Amino acid sequence: QLVESGGGLVQPGGSLRLSCAASGGTFSRYTMSWFRQAPGKERDFVAAITWNTYYADSVKGRFTISRDNAKNTVFLQMNSMEPEDTAVYFCAAKTELSRATTASMYNYWGQGTQVTVSS
């Protein structure tokens, strides 16, 4: 089970930190990722973490993914946010450590948390 938190309303240029708490399974052996979906659009890859980190070009240099295996939690620190970052953000888990940027490669999903960037 994956439970996201930390979404909300932020002004352009501001920051938010999302968290995703996982239960069940061996968290340290999972690839953890964040995807996002804006209204009327497909679910897009944002960032992933194995023993390395991977980012979509649109967030590189602004967002940072990290994990705390002791707490079974993955984080997404979002800085210099833009209105285009507005979306529902989903946490996803893949039951092996390998680079994966496609939604269909993930086994488990959270319920999503709304992020709105607006003045």
Side-chain angles (χ1 to χ4, degrees):
Q1 182 180 8
L2 303 174
V3 179
E4 302 100 334
S5 61
L9 174 65
V10 62
Q11 292 186 343
S15 298
L16 276 178
R17 189 190 195 207
L18 303 183
S19 299
C20 172
S23 59
T26 307
F27 180 80
S28 61
R29 297 181 182 177
Y30 290 179
T31 298
M32 299 300 297
S33 290
W34 290 94
F35 286 75
R36 66 187 181 186
Q37 189 166 19
K41 295 189 176 181
E42 296 184 351
R43 191 169 296 189
D44 291 331
F45 171 76
V46 174
I49 185 166
T50 55
W51 53 86
N52 287 324
T53 56
Y54 309 92
Y55 296 95
D57 288 343
S58 60
V59 306
K60 203 170 293 184
R62 300 188 298 121
F63 291 9
T64 302
I65 188 171
S66 61
R67 67 192 299 163
D68 184 339
N69 288 338
K71 296 183 178 180
N72 288 1
T73 303
V74 63
F75 305 97
L76 185 68
Q77 178 66 44
M78 303 184 290
N79 298 329
S80 302
M81 297 187 72
E82 304 167 353
E84 293 74 20
D85 295 321
T86 295
V88 177
Y89 283 69
F90 295 91
C91 175
K94 178 174 177 290
T95 56
E96 62 176 356
L97 286 172
S98 61
R99 183 180 183 273
T101 60
T102 304
S104 61
M105 301 177 74
Y106 285 82
N107 306 101
Y108 301 103
W109 292 86
Q111 80 288 350
T113 185
Q114 177 69 47
V115 171
T116 302
V117 184
S118 175
S119 56

